[in-house]
Amino acid sequence: MTRPAIRVVLADDERMVRTALRAILSAEPGIEVVGEAATGAEAVSVARELRPDVVLMDVRMPGTDGIRATERILTGSGGAPRIVVVTTFENDSYVYEALRAGASGFLLKRADAETLVQAVRLVARTDTLLFPAALRDLAAVRARRAPAPPAWVSRLTGRESETLRLLADGLTNAELARRLGVGPATVKSHVAAVLAKTGTRDRTQAVIAAYEAGFLNGG
């Protein structure tokens, strides 16, 4: 059975950027650009109306910026899209705040076409972390380290702690199963427990929480 196309919305205040992104993505089989927005407020409206799989979100837009737009799109919606923020600078504080707000990852505007397409397919089809090394570098600069480890750190079991560290390395469920020596159902159970205990909605937010708790990188 043929998979349905990945439906994408482009949110950027520069028409030329949206045109370039549309040209790249529309040329790819299995990807359909279904809408565009020039402001954060428009992005919220278009995302709610069209219910895309992925939103490529500029973080610096007039009025409602990409951070607030991300929060509004993801709040109270069980079928919310995956959001990838697009930025000029990898150490942009806006990007980190967007990730904390629920974005699944980020891309640089100078990324090549192959990287762009790979990112869209990855966030739409899998739960793995988007570019884990880039997230680690960003967290090293921007993470708001807690004065003391939050309570959830001590509530993790040994296997859950190991799972969280492997999530930060960007492992897929299949890779987690092989590394941990367990079946797919057990992996899903471990990941679900990590998300529940960290109080996060997906892997990206769990990893950010781990950096801010000092749980990763010898924190």
Side-chain angles (χ1 to χ4, degrees):
M1 178 179 295
T2 303
R3 280 182 170 182
I6 298 169
R7 304 171 74 253
V8 180
V9 162
L10 309 174
D12 196 292
D13 61 337
E14 295 186 30
R15 182 184 294 274
M16 289 183 62
V17 173
R18 300 198 309 271
T19 299
L21 292 173
R22 177 181 282 274
I24 292 169
L25 295 175
S26 296
E28 290 294 318
I31 297 179
E32 179 185 3
V33 177
V34 296
E36 297 185 15
T39 68
E42 285 183 10
V44 175
S45 177
V46 171
R48 287 176 176 172
E49 176 185 355
L50 299 179
R51 301 180 67 83
D53 301 301
V54 178
V55 176
L56 294 183
M57 178 80 74
D58 185 17
V59 288
R60 294 177 180 265
M61 290 184 286
T64 302
D65 62 24
I67 302 169
R68 302 286 84 79
T70 294
E71 290 177 337
R72 289 171 60 186
I73 290 171
L74 296 178
T75 298
S77 176
R82 308 296 295 277
I83 297 178
V84 177
V85 293
V86 183
T87 181
T88 303
F89 306 105
E90 54 261 59
N91 287 330
D92 192 338
S93 61
Y94 278 73
V95 174
Y96 191 73
E97 291 306 315
L99 293 172
R100 295 181 86 246
S104 296
F106 73 96
L107 275 172
L108 297 179
K109 288 191 174 182
R110 63 175 181 269
D112 58 31
E114 182 180 355
T115 300
L116 169 65
V117 172
Q118 175 194 25
V120 168
R121 294 191 188 281
L122 188 66
V123 299
R125 301 300 193 200
T126 75
D127 289 325
T128 190
L129 203 62
L130 182 61
F131 309 135
L135 177 56
R136 180 190 62 234
D137 293 343
L138 185 63
V141 176
R142 300 290 179 183
R144 303 170 180 176
R145 185 62 56 84
W152 63 258
V153 173
S154 63
R155 293 200 296 267
L156 293 175
T157 66
R159 185 48 62 93
E160 291 163 359
S161 294
E162 187 178 6
T163 298
L164 180 53
R165 293 184 187 280
L166 293 174
L167 290 179
D169 289 335
L171 271 64
T172 65
N173 276 2
E175 291 167 336
L176 281 169
R178 288 194 294 271
R179 184 72 66 87
L180 297 174
V182 297
T186 302
V187 165
K188 290 181 180 179
S189 177
H190 289 329
V191 172
V194 167
L195 297 184
K197 290 183 179 180
T198 56
T200 54
R201 67 184 301 272
D202 66 21
R203 297 175 185 219
T204 301
Q205 279 68 59
V207 171
I208 288 174
Y211 280 116
E212 294 192 339
F215 180 82
L216 298 171
N217 284 349

